[in-house]
């Protein structure tokens, strides 16, 4: 995953697309359980991933990437 993160940080759209698709379904489920509606879950997921890509340079690999993403998603919800 570190090579994928490095490519994302360089602005590689294919890598960003890959990262998004790797986590979007699971994170949508988290959003839906918290928000209770499809529309609100979709909005929260979209906002969370915008934040994830903006803050990806702060990921320090102290936990898994999935756990880091999930924490941001939960905070957005």
């Amino acid at each position: 995953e570190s090579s994928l993160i490095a490519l994302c940080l360089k602005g590689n759209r294919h890598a960003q697309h890959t990262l998004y698709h790797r986590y979007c379904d699971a994170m949508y489920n988290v959003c839906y359980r918290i928000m209770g509606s499809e529309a609100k879950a979709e909005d929260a997921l979209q906002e969370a991933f915008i934040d994830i890509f903006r803050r990806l340079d702060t990921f320090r690999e102290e936990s898994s990437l999935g756990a880091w993403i999930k924490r941001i998603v939960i905070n957005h919800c």
Side-chain angles (χ1 to χ4, degrees):
E1 283 191 333
S2 57
S3 61
L4 181 62
I5 293 168
L7 288 170
C8 288
L9 290 172
K10 291 179 181 177
N12 182 302
R13 295 290 183 205
H14 178 71
Q16 292 170 343
H17 186 262
T18 300
L19 180 70
Y20 174 79
H21 279 284
R22 187 173 290 175
Y23 292 99
C24 69
D25 291 340
M27 296 305 115
Y28 172 79
N29 290 334
V30 170
C31 290
Y32 185 76
R33 284 194 309 267
I34 294 170
M35 303 302 283
S37 84
E38 290 181 17
K40 288 180 181 180
E42 290 169 358
D43 288 344
L45 182 67
Q46 187 79 6
E47 291 174 18
F49 267 98
I50 290 169
D51 197 30
I52 288 162
F53 286 116
R54 284 187 184 147
R55 297 173 49 193
L56 194 56
D57 63 329
T58 67
F59 176 62
R60 300 290 175 231
E61 297 185 32
E62 295 169 355
S63 64
S64 71
L65 180 60
W68 184 80
I69 288 173
K70 186 175 181 179
R71 174 53 42 205
I72 293 172
V73 167
I74 290 170
N75 289 342
H76 271 275
C77 291

